[in-house]
Amino acid sequence: MSAPTTTEQDERRLYWEFVDCWTIVRRELGHLAKQPSLIAWQLGFPIVSVLLYVYVFGSAMDVGGGQDYTTFVMPGMFAMTMAFGFMNTAMAVTVEKDRGVIDRFRSMPMARSAVVAGRGVADVLHAGIDLAVMALIALAIGWRSDGSLVETVYAFLLLLLLRFALIWIGVYLGLLVPNQEAAGNLFAVAFPFGMISSVFTPPSMMPDWLGAIAMWNPVSSTATAIRELFGVSTTAGDSWIEQHAPLMSVVWPLAITAVFLPLAVRRYQALGR
Amino acid sequence: MTAATEAAAEAGEYSVIAEGLRKQYGDKTAVDGLDLRVRRGTVCGLLGPNGAGKTTSVRMLSTLVRPDGGRAEVGGHDVVRRPDLVRRRIGLTGQHAAVDEILTARQNLRMFGRLFHLGHPAARARAEELLAQFSLLEAADKQVKTFSGGMRRRLDLAASMILAPEVLFLDEPTTGLDPRGRREVWDAVRGLTATGTTVLLTTHYLDEADKLSDWICVIDQGRKITEDTPAGLKRAVGGDRVEVVLADPADLPLTAGAVARVAAGGRPPETDEAELRVHAPVTEGVAALTEVARELQDAGVAVLDIGLRRPTLDEVFLRLTGGAERETTEKENAV
């Protein structure tokens, strides 16, 4: 049997970290190529929400300022899609852990960072596809960005930044929960996180205590910031957090990453203890 | 011989060396000072009940978890100090078929080849070799989720064999498989050992350890209880036993005499006076059973039950773990 061998030197470590990461990313893209329905499946809830809120509740919704509800709610839908994304990450990580795939990777001479980094890159790419699909649906039902091209692109980048930050919460929770059933229960966290926010209605229209929670929700900062970039005329509330949404839509994701990236890495390393 | 040259000679002779390996999870000691040596090119079966510490041992030896104490060398390298070198010399097949369900078998093997740092052409070529070796060529372009349990495990094994590792760890490779799947995996493992791979196999099936291993190491509660060749182990545990259950206690001496005449090694049979049971290990099971039955019939002994029994794994462990207490009670019975 002609078994190939690999070099023993670690001199090309950085090179292999990139190559291994890319191999993992290609694997994830391979999944999408094999099962395009994955995208439809994961967008199911946002799409149903769009139909529900635009067509069913839409006519009864008045968010003030004579604002058309579709224009108001679509950016919220984009943000909510990103917010729910951490569930996909957590579920994928739990499945890999459960099925021994992570163990197999860890017993191989590949770069250990690639398992987590590859997941991160693949999920951002996946989120980009999700957003593109959502945007097409939005365009089809009459949503338009009134911002300039730069503002519009920046808005989508802010959305991806939120998704990027949530990857680390997803990886952390995915490694933390004992099994796939428990990972499924994370929806109990994801739901209020996505919905108690400015996604559907301005927090100023909620009871004070709930509004306070909603306006400090990172999803709200992103939703409010991108509304401004898309040129939605409804003014944000008067609170500090709402007034500083453009700033906070960057600060929140960075803060989440600063906390959860090290936690996720530590949790990953703890698999060896 | 100096300690250094002795160590070097050992390293050449054994692919796996563990000394006093220990792992603690909270209050529970999963592995409690395991000593293990697996000769190069042989199959060692690590046999034990669930929770005996088999999986934890394999996880330490395959660099997945760090031992709390002791040391281990796999493929000539220390698992704690040089896990990177160990990982280039091992393959691991865990309790689940750790392959990608959505990709095809061919895509899986190519991907793992790349992750083992083969170039694209080498990864492709190796995938084809392994698909052929593990009889997966026909199903190569099907998604793994359509595979049977046995096929998945074969693909899993193939993925472990990409670098033709010096040591292959198989952690309960047939758990959850139907008989046909088990046979497929056994055949695949036998094929590997023919190529000189050292295999450390964990299992809680006695017959599996028996069929595949050159050497069996029995562990319980994180400790090694005994180790021997499969033949030696079976001798120690006793193979088939003739067992007679009587209706009348008065027949016990006569029955014991009849059973003693066919018992292996002429050892006195064991007598359970409470249950009126007489039993002894035998070598020629059927012949012995026939002889005892005839003799008892001739003597007009009322027999409730007579039969040939093989030791179950439970009995093996009971005998091996509870050996000391058993000896004592037997002596007391004899007095």
Side-chain angles (χ1 to χ4, degrees):
Chain A
M1 192 166 54
S2 57
T5 51
T6 53
T7 55
E8 305 256 325
Q9 294 84 15
D10 276 349
E11 57 202 34
R12 297 209 294 167
R13 205 175 134 200
L14 195 64
Y15 169 77
W16 282 118
E17 278 180 8
F18 278 104
V19 173
D20 290 345
C21 175
W22 177 235
T23 306
I24 300 284
V25 171
R26 274 190 44 176
R27 165 184 180 232
E28 296 295 329
L29 298 180
H31 287 179
L32 291 181
K34 283 266 174 222
Q35 291 194 328
S37 58
L38 273 179
I39 294 175
W41 183 247
Q42 288 172 2
L43 286 179
F45 184 75
I47 290 170
V48 169
S49 300
V50 168
L51 299 177
L52 206 61
Y53 282 89
V54 171
Y55 293 115
V56 180
F57 302 142
S59 55
M61 291 289 204
D62 181 7
V63 289
Q67 181 62 57
D68 166 46
Y69 189 61
T70 306
T71 310
F72 175 85
V73 83
M74 276 320 302
M77 291 295 168
F78 295 154
M80 188 182 72
T81 307
M82 295 298 102
F84 284 163
F86 87 91
M87 287 288 300
N88 304 338
T89 306
M91 190 50 101
V93 168
T94 309
V95 168
E96 306 242 291
K97 185 183 66 167
D98 259 18
R99 296 218 181 121
V101 177
I102 289 184
D103 278 350
R104 154 151 281 152
F105 286 150
R106 291 175 64 244
S107 77
M108 289 169 56
M110 62 182 279
R112 290 211 157 180
S113 62
V115 179
V116 177
R119 159 74 40 211
V121 173
D123 281 357
V124 169
L125 289 176
H126 193 157
I129 298 171
D130 285 353
L131 270 183
V133 174
M134 286 294 288
L136 287 175
I137 292 170
L139 287 170
I141 63 170
W143 170 81
R144 297 289 180 270
S145 167
D146 290 332
S148 67
L149 182 67
V150 174
E151 284 169 331
T152 305
V153 170
Y154 180 59
F156 280 107
L157 288 178
L158 282 181
L159 287 163
L160 289 176
L161 180 66
L162 177 68
R163 178 70 182 88
F164 172 82
L166 295 180
I167 283 166
W168 311 116
I169 295 186
V171 172
Y172 176 68
L173 292 177
L175 292 172
L176 193 71
V177 298
N179 52 44
Q180 292 173 41
E181 289 76 40
N185 292 339
L186 287 175
F187 250 117
V189 182
F191 241 76
F193 175 61
M195 301 181 84
I196 303 176
S197 65
S198 65
V199 163
F200 298 110
T201 47
S204 56
M205 297 171 83
M206 301 177 191
D208 284 350
W209 62 274
L210 194 64
I213 296 172
M215 64 182 68
W216 283 90
N217 183 337
V219 179
S220 300
S221 297
T222 299
T224 306
I226 63 171
R227 277 190 186 116
E228 287 180 22
L229 290 165
F230 288 142
V232 179
S233 59
T234 309
T235 50
D238 309 329
S239 65
W240 183 90
I241 184 77
E242 287 169 303
Q243 287 296 319
H244 291 80
L247 173 70
M248 290 309 290
S249 65
V250 176
V251 169
W252 268 128
L254 293 182
I256 292 170
T257 306
V259 172
F260 281 93
L261 178 59
L263 279 176
V265 168
R266 262 185 45 193
R267 196 74 212 169
Y268 179 63
Q269 287 167 340
L271 291 174
R273 284 196 286 274
Chain B
M1 215 191 278
T2 68
T5 55
E6 201 174 324
E10 264 185 17
E13 197 180 341
Y14 296 100
S15 288
V16 178
I17 301 174
E19 284 170 359
L21 215 51
R22 233 165 38 71
K23 185 72 195 175
Q24 187 95 24
Y25 286 112
D27 291 343
K28 193 180 177 297
T29 305
V31 176
D32 190 10
L34 182 74
D35 295 314
L36 189 67
R37 256 147 224 267
V38 184
R39 222 172 267 279
R40 188 178 292 273
T42 63
V43 182
C44 173
L46 208 53
L47 181 66
N50 289 330
K54 303 186 298 284
T55 295
T56 308
S57 302
V58 165
R59 290 177 70 81
M60 286 191 280
L61 293 171
S62 57
T63 77
L64 290 183
V65 297
R66 218 183 146 87
D68 291 331
R71 60 177 275 279
E73 266 181 32
V74 173
H77 295 279
D78 191 286
V79 294
V80 174
R81 272 177 295 177
R82 293 313 300 268
D84 52 326
L85 295 182
V86 172
R87 282 179 203 135
R88 291 201 175 95
R89 289 168 174 76
I90 62 169
L92 171 68
T93 293
Q95 290 177 15
H96 313 276
V99 285
D100 193 300
E101 301 256 306
I102 299 171
L103 301 181
T104 66
R106 185 172 267 132
Q107 287 174 325
N108 261 289
L109 290 178
R110 286 180 181 176
M111 173 190 75
F112 283 117
R114 287 294 289 153
L115 292 174
F116 273 112
H117 296 171
L118 300 181
H120 281 290
R124 272 198 291 275
R126 186 63 180 149
E128 297 313 307
E129 282 177 13
L130 289 165
L131 287 168
Q133 190 187 339
F134 289 89
S135 319
L136 289 166
L137 270 175
E138 267 177 48
D141 290 319
K142 293 207 174 90
Q143 283 189 295
V144 173
K145 64 179 180 188
T146 66
F147 279 24
S148 71
M151 287 164 77
R152 266 173 221 234
R153 284 306 162 93
R154 287 197 331 250
L155 177 62
D156 200 26
L157 274 177
S160 308
M161 293 305 294
I162 283 169
L163 292 189
E166 184 182 334
V167 184
L168 177 64
F169 294 101
L170 300 177
D171 191 11
E172 303 192 3
T174 63
T175 297
L177 291 188
D178 58 17
R180 185 169 153 219
R182 292 180 79 191
R183 229 176 0 258
E184 286 174 12
V185 171
W186 286 350
D187 288 344
V189 172
R190 284 203 198 92
L192 296 180
T193 55
T195 65
T197 307
T198 307
V199 177
L200 182 65
L201 162 97
T202 79
T203 180
H204 53 254
Y205 300 120
L206 189 59
D207 61 332
E208 182 162 290
D210 184 19
K211 285 208 172 64
L212 294 177
S213 318
D214 301 303
W215 191 255
I216 295 179
C217 178
V218 182
I219 68 170
D220 189 27
Q221 296 179 345
R223 289 174 166 280
K224 182 168 70 190
I225 303 169
T226 186
E227 56 183 326
D228 207 335
T229 59
L233 196 64
K234 273 193 281 190
R235 257 198 312 279
V237 181
D240 292 346
R241 303 174 75 81
V242 162
E243 186 182 78
V244 186
V245 181
L246 299 169
D248 184 354
D251 293 329
L252 274 173
L254 190 148
T255 308
V259 174
R261 274 187 285 285
V262 299
R267 294 217 331 245
E270 291 175 29
T271 306
D272 183 336
E273 289 178 18
E275 291 180 25
L276 305 183
R277 216 157 53 93
V278 179
H279 56 107
V282 294
T283 44
E284 297 293 328
V286 177
L289 180 65
T290 323
E291 201 178 320
V292 172
R294 201 185 51 230
E295 209 171 313
L296 293 180
Q297 197 180 16
D298 290 350
V301 173
V303 175
L304 287 184
D305 187 22
I306 182 164
L308 203 56
R309 295 182 49 233
R310 302 221 148 91
T312 63
L313 190 60
D314 288 345
E315 287 172 314
V316 171
F317 285 112
L318 198 67
R319 287 184 82 79
L320 291 172
T321 53
E325 296 117 290
R326 214 186 161 99
E327 293 281 334
T328 341
T329 37
E330 273 170 21
K331 258 179 224 144
E332 282 163 8
N333 284 349
V335 172

